[in-house]
Amino acid sequence: MDDSMRFLATAGALAALLAFVAWIGDRRRMKRRNLDSVGFMPWTTIFFWSLLAAVLLLGISGRAWLGVN
């Protein structure tokens, strides 16, 4: 695997980590006790875009790693 594919795999792993953190944040928001304290982070949007980036980046680097055209 060359350096560009390694970069894509690292970026995909970081995006997956961000998606996991956003998923935890969204879950905590849904289970909060005080319904008036919503917060200001758009966890659902962050989760969606980071998961999309993770799937695309890891898919591209995985295809290159396996040698699939």
Side-chain angles (χ1 to χ4, degrees):
M1 185 178 338
D2 60 346
D3 288 337
S4 63
M5 290 302 132
R6 188 168 295 155
F7 174 75
L8 288 177
T10 304
L14 289 175
L17 179 66
L18 179 62
F20 179 73
V21 169
W23 177 67
I24 296 290
D26 194 34
R27 185 177 165 103
R28 288 185 63 208
R29 176 181 284 173
M30 291 303 210
K31 295 188 177 277
R32 66 186 181 273
R33 291 179 191 253
N34 186 2
L35 296 177
D36 291 333
S37 64
V38 177
F40 64 93
M41 291 299 291
W43 290 118
T44 307
T45 306
I46 294 171
F47 171 73
F48 174 76
W49 289 111
S50 60
L51 184 66
L52 179 68
V55 167
L56 290 175
L57 290 169
L58 290 174
I60 291 170
S61 66
R63 284 185 63 160
W65 182 62
L66 292 174
V68 179
N69 289 331

